[in-house]
Amino acid sequence: MQFIVKQTADAAADYVSRLIGEQLGANPRSVIGLPTGGTPVPVYARLVERFRAGGTSWKSATTFNLDEYIGLGPEHPASYAAYMRQHLFDHVDCPPDQRHIPNGLAPDIEEEASRYEATIVSAGGLDLLFLGLGRNAHIGFNEPGSGFDTRTRRVSLTASTLQANAPYFQPGQTQPSEAITMGIGTILEARKIVVLATGQSKAEAVRRMIEGAPDIEVPGSALQQAREVLVVLDADAASGLSGQRIAS
Ligand code: PGA
């Protein structure tokens, strides 16, 4: 697992947007895995800028989001389908039938999970998977205790995750306590993984992901077993690591 430390969160997001742009430039038909949350917002903003400047097209790309809340349809403003439209898909040229997000309203979530796995396989697998990291070191919605061989499935969210994501819900909107997420085993099959973590609140999770022993209580530590992983950090998120250097 390699990591790179940028001075600021903006510089870290810019770096990740360049990596994704380079992937799409080298292979316009890339299959890209995408996260939601606060951390990726500036990455998507830069990808939209790159698209508008004529640099990064998504016309031939296929995307797979990591997760979705169970019980929220794509029109619900707090759904990840809505988030993706707001931050990326309404602004770039990725055709709707090439964009995949688990269906949080599927009547049979187990069947939806198998269908999602099969769709990733039939697309040829993930070429590049972009991930965030939870304060509790979760990846996707794989909370502490998730096995490293888990597949796409129904999960219950922990109190810490519910608290971290509560601000995305308006008063009167019910925050689901369950989600459908790609599993850790699914994530580990990606050919390349880029993790972005910024801010002091991620420093301990980053330290345990990179320097700790693999431990199912630290889902991010599973990435030590992935093929090719680059962790992109700002100085605050890297502050718990021994021996880090800021890259220009
Ligand atoms: P955040 O979420 O970017 O909103 O902190 C990260 C994650 O949970 O993966």
Side-chain angles (χ1 to χ4, degrees):
M1 185 187 285
Q2 297 198 305
F3 67 91
I4 180 164
V5 185
K6 297 287 185 178
Q7 184 68 53
T8 63
D10 257 9
D14 188 60
Y15 188 75
V16 170
S17 76
R18 272 192 280 145
L19 294 177
I20 296 171
E22 281 165 17
Q23 173 71 37
L24 287 167
N27 177 10
R29 300 178 60 82
S30 291
V31 180
I32 311 268
L34 296 172
T36 50
T39 314
V41 168
V43 177
Y44 293 135
R46 282 169 173 75
L47 285 165
V48 170
E49 280 168 24
R50 275 166 205 282
F51 169 72
R52 288 186 177 147
T56 300
S57 169
W58 294 75
K59 188 158 57 83
S60 305
T62 300
T63 67
F64 286 91
N65 266 81
L66 282 162
D67 43 28
E68 180 61 281
Y69 287 109
I70 291 178
L72 298 193
E75 300 311 322
H76 191 289
S79 70
Y80 289 151
Y83 170 106
M84 289 308 298
R85 288 196 305 276
Q86 181 190 347
H87 293 291
L88 184 67
F89 293 139
D90 278 353
H91 315 289
V92 299
D93 57 349
C94 190
D97 62 348
Q98 288 161 220
R99 307 170 342 199
H100 304 278
I101 299 181
N103 177 7
L105 289 183
D108 182 335
I109 292 294
E110 278 64 44
E111 193 180 293
E112 171 62 8
S114 312
R115 185 197 66 78
Y116 205 66
E117 288 273 336
T119 313
I120 295 172
V121 171
S122 60
L126 299 168
D127 293 307
L128 177 67
L129 172 55
F130 169 29
L131 292 178
L133 181 71
R135 293 173 214 182
N136 65 357
H138 74 198
I139 48 177
F141 269 142
N142 293 283
E143 300 283 36
S146 300
F148 290 179
D149 58 354
T150 46
R151 311 303 307 187
T152 302
R153 70 200 186 290
R154 172 193 291 267
V155 290
S156 295
L157 305 178
T158 60
S160 115
T161 296
L162 291 171
Q163 192 188 10
N165 290 341
Y168 295 102
F169 290 82
Q170 302 299 320
Q173 287 178 346
T174 306
Q175 183 180 11
S177 59
E178 289 187 314
I180 177 167
T181 183
M182 273 188 209
I184 295 183
T186 322
I187 288 170
L188 290 178
E189 285 168 9
R191 286 183 271 280
K192 268 184 272 177
I193 297 175
V194 174
V195 185
L196 175 63
T198 55
Q200 191 63 44
S201 67
K202 302 292 174 69
E204 178 61 8
V206 165
R207 186 190 68 73
R208 296 181 76 195
M209 169 174 70
I210 294 177
E211 295 184 349
D215 177 351
I216 66 164
E217 294 308 322
V218 185
S221 69
L223 300 175
Q224 294 175 20
Q225 299 171 7
R227 279 185 249 192
E228 190 182 325
V229 184
L230 177 63
V231 183
V232 181
L233 303 167
D234 68 352
D236 285 341
S239 58
L241 294 174
S242 49
Q244 25 96 10
R245 236 173 347 116
I246 309 279
S248 56

